[in-house]
Amino acid sequence: MTTLDDASAESCWRPILSGTTAQQALQAVGAIADSLTSISSPPGQRDPSLGKGQSGLALLYTWLARTGRTPQAEVLARQCLDRAVEAVSTQAMNASLWGGFTGVAWAAELVDRLLDAEEDDRSEAVDDALLRLLSRADRWPAPYDLVVGLTGVGVYALQRYPRPVAIECLRRVVELLHECARHDEHGLYWWTPPTEILDQEDRKLYPSGRVDLGVAHGVAGPIALLGSICGAGAELATARPLLDGAVRWLLAHSVATEAGPTFPVWVAPSFQPSPARCAWCYGDPGIAAALLMAARGVDDAGWEQAAVALACRAAERPASETGVVNASFCHGAAGLAHLYNRMYQATGEPKLGRAALYWLERTLDFYRLAKDNGGSWVRGSWDPGQRERWTWTGIDVVDGAAGVALVLLAAATSVEPTWDGMFLVSAPTPDPGTPDD
């Protein structure tokens, strides 16, 4: 069994797995990588996106190259990224982070920098296009969220900071978040109108709209972004008041339980708030990670205390009550393992370290189940008629095998997983030599 040491003692990323469990994790990563490279599809059918396609796979191969795990990993990373970049110039794509050209450019910025590419800047045209979109006289044409909207654009601009165009893009992102925010006695929040609710049945349930509390599509996303913007020293005069108001509003909408405050999925007229499942996309673990990023960005000890307490309560929730049914990053075991690992590395809280180890073991269980399923096992299983055989969905980073592999690789190696910036959970670790309080 892996033992925990004091991750708060150093600033570098440290593997949380050791011994046999680490070997098993790395074997799983290798098997997933080998299976992914054997999957081919016609170039016209390759999705270039960050969330579901070639840009996300480029992240996996980049981290495999950095850890020396897979022969030809750097070549594969460049191939995936080149295909995605080419698609941006030949396909109609929106500006979203996970599905559009912004995400491809975000991956290109990260991968090129990490692999020391001597190429020209790939993303100058994207910078200019985004600035034009952000400067439109009419309303910003997309939601405010991370996955498809304004917060995702901010993640890209922060990756490009401190380039002058990136600074201007961040300024516009903060301004637009301010313009679309609503205010009440608790603070400020962002409303999701029914036209932007993804599920059709939910549109019927909430005909006037709702306030989503999650990281993927809700207020926790802008909170993490604004904290990161403040931490970079950008747009403090406008970003900090927005952040203060959003955190105040979020904390005011927790639900009291015997274990302590928890958060519902959303807030809406006639909706009775109840605890959400445990996941990155919705629920306490994702919200805790976002709140920790905000706390670190502005050095707010009270917010950090609230974030760690929230994460610890979620970590102690029985597995049967978490809603976890597969291994995906978005809402499965791998995502929980990585969130708890990230927050453990940032804070040194032992409860979070133990939770990370538990969910890593569960992730490996799902991997073994996938292998036992046979066939094209790396694509996962999501058969409604065989719930007991669910593993993950597809080969991508968000729901599929690539995300599982990235989480296991981060747990078993000393290379920091900055790829998780696409999920807004990259809480900074303490400076070297900083004494524990």
Side-chain angles (χ1 to χ4, degrees):
M1 179 63 181
T2 301
T3 59
L4 298 175
D5 48 22
D6 186 5
S8 66
E10 299 181 13
S11 64
C12 61
W13 183 265
R14 303 173 69 185
I16 195 171
L17 295 179
S18 62
T20 301
T21 310
Q23 293 175 5
Q24 292 171 347
L26 292 174
Q27 289 170 358
V29 171
I32 290 172
D34 290 344
S35 296
L36 288 178
T37 57
S38 69
I39 295 175
S40 61
S41 59
Q45 296 180 14
R46 291 178 179 141
D47 183 344
S49 72
L50 178 61
K52 296 291 185 181
Q54 294 291 305
S55 298
L57 293 180
L59 297 182
L60 173 59
Y61 290 125
T62 296
W63 260 262
L64 288 168
R66 297 192 74 214
T67 54
R69 300 304 310 174
T70 300
Q72 300 298 308
E74 183 171 340
V75 171
L76 292 168
R78 294 186 188 283
Q79 287 176 350
C80 289
L81 188 59
D82 288 344
R83 291 184 195 123
V85 170
E86 181 181 0
V88 170
S89 62
T90 59
Q91 299 180 18
M93 299 181 71
N94 62 30
S96 69
L97 181 68
W98 282 20
F101 64 83
T102 299
V104 176
W106 183 88
E109 174 75 12
L110 187 60
V111 169
D112 283 346
R113 176 160 48 84
L114 292 175
L115 296 182
D116 295 323
E118 296 180 357
E119 302 179 26
D120 293 334
D121 189 341
R122 299 181 191 239
S123 301
E124 289 180 345
V126 172
D127 294 346
D128 293 338
L130 284 177
L131 186 55
R132 287 194 299 272
L133 276 174
L134 293 167
S135 303
R136 286 170 51 156
D138 54 343
R139 183 181 180 274
W140 166 253
Y144 72 87
D145 72 343
L146 169 66
V147 174
V148 300
L150 192 60
T151 298
V153 172
V155 169
Y156 168 76
L158 200 57
Q159 186 73 32
R160 298 282 287 170
Y161 185 84
R163 293 173 178 85
V165 176
I167 292 173
E168 183 61 20
C169 283
L170 282 177
R171 186 184 68 81
R172 288 296 298 143
V173 165
V174 173
E175 284 183 354
L176 289 167
L177 284 173
H178 179 266
E179 290 174 10
C180 65
R182 295 188 179 187
H183 300 258
D184 64 17
E185 68 276 14
H186 302 296
L188 63 88
Y189 58 94
W190 291 272
W191 184 259
T192 302
T195 55
E196 294 176 2
I197 295 176
L198 300 180
D199 187 271
Q200 293 185 355
E201 291 302 316
D202 279 357
R203 292 179 191 174
K204 297 176 183 177
L205 291 173
Y206 307 104
S208 62
R210 66 192 184 197
V211 186
D212 191 310
L213 301 189
V215 181
H217 299 290
V219 299
I223 284 173
L225 173 67
L226 290 166
S228 299
I229 290 173
C230 291
E235 297 301 312
L236 289 174
T238 48
R240 181 61 194 267
L242 273 180
L243 179 60
D244 288 343
V247 171
R248 190 167 65 252
W249 188 94
L250 176 67
L251 294 177
H253 286 81
S254 62
V255 177
T257 69
E258 290 184 1
T262 185
F263 287 93
V265 178
W266 44 66
V267 175
S270 74
F271 175 71
Q272 182 62 41
S274 60
R277 65 186 179 187
C278 285
W280 166 79
C281 53
Y282 290 101
D284 293 347
I287 291 174
L291 188 57
L292 180 59
M293 285 191 68
R296 289 291 174 88
V298 298
D299 194 23
D300 190 302
W303 292 356
E304 177 156 344
Q305 183 179 17
V308 173
L310 180 66
C312 287
R313 288 192 295 273
E316 293 175 335
R317 188 182 297 186
S320 60
E321 298 176 11
T322 61
V324 171
V325 295
N326 73 2
S328 72
F329 191 102
C330 182
H331 46 265
L336 286 184
H338 190 72
L339 287 174
Y340 292 132
N341 191 11
R342 254 299 177 190
M343 289 186 281
Y344 169 63
Q345 301 262 353
T347 67
E349 169 54 55
K351 290 180 182 178
L352 301 181
R354 289 193 291 270
L357 293 177
Y358 173 82
W359 287 106
L360 286 164
E361 292 279 8
R362 294 280 290 126
T363 301
L364 285 170
D365 289 341
F366 281 114
Y367 159 74
R368 297 181 188 107
L369 177 59
K371 292 277 285 186
D372 291 344
N373 284 342
S376 184
W377 66 271
V378 77
R379 296 184 185 273
S381 173
W382 197 249
D383 184 347
Q386 298 188 56
R387 186 184 179 94
E388 72 281 359
R389 308 298 295 177
W390 286 354
T391 54
W392 54 75
T393 308
I395 65 172
D396 59 82
V397 172
V398 175
D399 292 312
V404 172
L406 281 166
V407 167
L408 292 174
L409 195 62
T413 67
S414 59
V415 178
E416 185 174 6
T418 51
W419 52 263
D420 62 6
M422 67 179 282
F423 295 99
L424 272 177
V425 297
S426 299
T429 51
D431 291 333
T434 300
D436 294 334
D437 292 333

